[in-house]
Amino acid sequence: MNTIFYDLRRTFRSRFVIVMMLIIILSAALISYALTNPGQNIPKSQRVLNVSTLFLIVNGIFSVLIPIMAIFEGYVAYGADRASGVLESVICRPVTKTGVLISRFVAGMIAIIIALAIAIAIIDATALSYYSKSLPLQDIAALFWIYIVEGAAFLGLMYLFSHILKSQTSLIGVAIAVFLVLDILWTTIVTLVAFGVFNAGSSPSKFISIETVMDFISPTGYEANMLLYLTKETTAFVRSSGLGAATLSVNPASYGVTLISLALIGIAWMVVPVLLAYMLAMKRD
């Protein structure tokens, strides 16, 4: 317990962590400002909160910020010390190898959860003030779940790679590659695989089937499946005379996206990477 408190203090003394928390909170404030339809004098009785649009806006911003915070927090808090050998001096104290790993992982997740809690509270308070209606509890819970899963996944991956790679340079390189592949470029990769490998351009249903399966193997793709489950809508790329995108209303269960599958895969993303790191810490060190 003392180790966790020590690592919590250490985490919140990190300038990077504080800056990322402030950026996430500021982003929530900007999203909240956009919700008030600036420049439009809409009567209060005609104001309608489109939750689907809100989720898309939040996803577009948080799906980048949360992975950045998790990846580099993992590097600063654990990976850099592990690669440089500084972590070994910590382990020489009456603290176990796995104890350091778990306490720093928990401290990192607490920082992400606090930033999320403040950000979502700001958005919800704005919705209540402007629309006279708070966000539905299930939507608040969904937002928390999505980004806790994503944060834990990327943070766990950093801890895992810290036990596979032996230099800070290679760890930074892999961190950037993981962020680009599993986050920034993931939608492009899914589309290329659907078209190039499975020839799904002429069938929206086939495209969505491939997309949902692939999205479960990326933390950022997991967000897309959560949004599909919540909004019952998705964007499919189809090829007729050219390449175009169409927003379709679908039954998520038809594509394997159910509450059970989302819960199981979400838990797997939160647990498996850090569990593998834990096992390597026990075996290799």
Side-chain angles (χ1 to χ4, degrees), residues 48-71:
V48 179
L49 176 61
N50 189 319
V51 177
S52 297
T53 300
L54 172 62
F55 268 81
L56 290 174
I57 295 172
V58 171
N59 177 59
I61 297 174
F62 282 15
S63 65
V64 174
L65 294 181
I66 296 297
I68 290 176
M69 181 176 179
I71 287 172

